[in-house]
Amino acid sequence: MQRPDQSEQSQPESLTVADAIRVAAGRFADAGVTTARLDAEVLLRHVLELDRTQLFVQLRERLSTEDLTRLNALVERRLGGEPVAYLTGRREFMGLSFAVGPGVLVPRPETELLVEWALSWLKGRPSARVVDVGTGSGAIALSLAAMRPQRRELIIGAEVSEAALRYAAENRRRLGLADAVHLVRGDLLTWFKAPVDLVLANLPYLRPEQLASNPDLRAEPANALVSGADGLDEVRRLLADLPRVLATDGAVALEIDPSQVETVRAQVRTALPGARVDVHPDLAGWDRVVVAELGPVGLTT
């Protein structure tokens, strides 16, 4: 389909929903945005306060000048590098809606693998202490609590960033999980003294050049994305401290960059000799989560 011509763009009151999506998606595509059509649809849904089905039912409806002005402002901000999730203030994760914005990492679909694996690991265990290290918006800890309605676990989200912790607290309130998840401002596990049964960590793991080469990441906090020259400074610090606090039948799951799998596997084996170490791929088939489990094999599910 052809995009509306310049005269149509100069008269925003004449644009239909379908036209507005095409114009925005075209601008995104011209700027090299790989999710051009999806971004355009999500932003317009946000402006019109519609779900996806409602949006497509109204494709031939004409937009008001006010709505088009709001959409154009969001398009300009997206072209300036702001994530769509920051512009809408929301990101879906594990079927739940999380508030996000400047100062906190936007949850990614691949991180859902951590939650899914944790749910499997917890199945059949009467109780457990769980710590989500670097909780950010609280996506991992809160999703885990929401999926475990019996709430037999003590789930803690730890975060060193005060700004990110505010988002986690807001999400905990919105999801009605104030009694299920404790939030702590703390550096990795340095604040924790009691044995922990399960450690989940989506720590920063990018190298500086990976961040520099991806303009879509520039609006998110660099300290939540990059960790030293090889991307593994925070992972190394966490692994060095794990023997002090991990229970004798405990486990740890780490999200990583696929290129780091052999390095992290070796580091885990050094930190936790005798642990069973596995690697789980994400939906795209990339090695994404390194898991180490202590204790009898029969405890795993």
Side-chain angles (χ1 to χ4, degrees), residues 49-84:
E49 299 181 354
L50 300 175
D51 63 27
R52 196 164 188 266
T53 300
Q54 291 170 328
L55 183 73
F56 284 98
V57 167
Q58 298 187 29
L59 284 178
R60 296 187 178 184
E61 297 293 324
R62 297 195 177 277
L63 299 182
S64 69
T65 301
E66 179 183 357
D67 286 338
L68 276 169
T69 298
R70 290 180 60 205
L71 176 63
N72 289 334
L74 292 175
V75 168
E76 291 297 333
R77 290 171 62 186
R78 179 71 184 101
L79 291 170
E82 291 187 58
V84 170

Side-chain angles (χ1 to χ4, degrees), residues 97-169:
S97 178
F98 286 86
V100 294
V104 70
L105 188 71
V106 176
R108 265 65 173 183
E110 54 266 30
T111 304
E112 293 185 354
L113 179 60
L114 274 177
V115 178
E116 292 164 354
W117 180 86
L119 288 169
S120 175
W121 190 88
L122 288 167
K123 190 182 298 182
R125 286 173 166 78
S127 64
R129 292 187 181 93
V130 182
V131 180
D132 170 22
V133 179
T135 197
S137 64
I140 293 172
L142 293 169
S143 295
L144 194 60
M147 306 291 166
R148 297 277 291 179
Q150 294 95 345
R151 299 178 185 175
R152 293 173 294 182
E153 294 80 39
L154 169 64
I155 301 177
I156 303 171
E159 175 58 60
V160 71
S161 165
E162 186 176 353
L165 208 55
R166 285 196 293 269
Y167 283 103

Side-chain angles (χ1 to χ4, degrees), residues 7 10 22 44 71 87 104 111 133 186 196 202 209 216 220 227 232 238-239 248 259 296:
S7 62
S10 67
R22 283 200 306 274
L44 188 51
L71 176 63
L87 298 176
V104 70
T111 304
V133 179
V196 59
N202 177 23
E209 63 269 23
D216 278 346
E220 296 181 68
S227 182
L232 292 173
L238 176 66
L239 290 174
T248 56
S259 66

Side-chain angles (χ1 to χ4, degrees), residues 182-200:
H182 300 269
L183 297 175
V184 173
R185 189 177 184 196
D187 180 24
L188 300 181
L189 288 171
T190 58
W191 52 274
F192 199 79
K193 304 203 183 305
V196 59
D197 300 296
L198 177 59
V199 175
L200 304 171

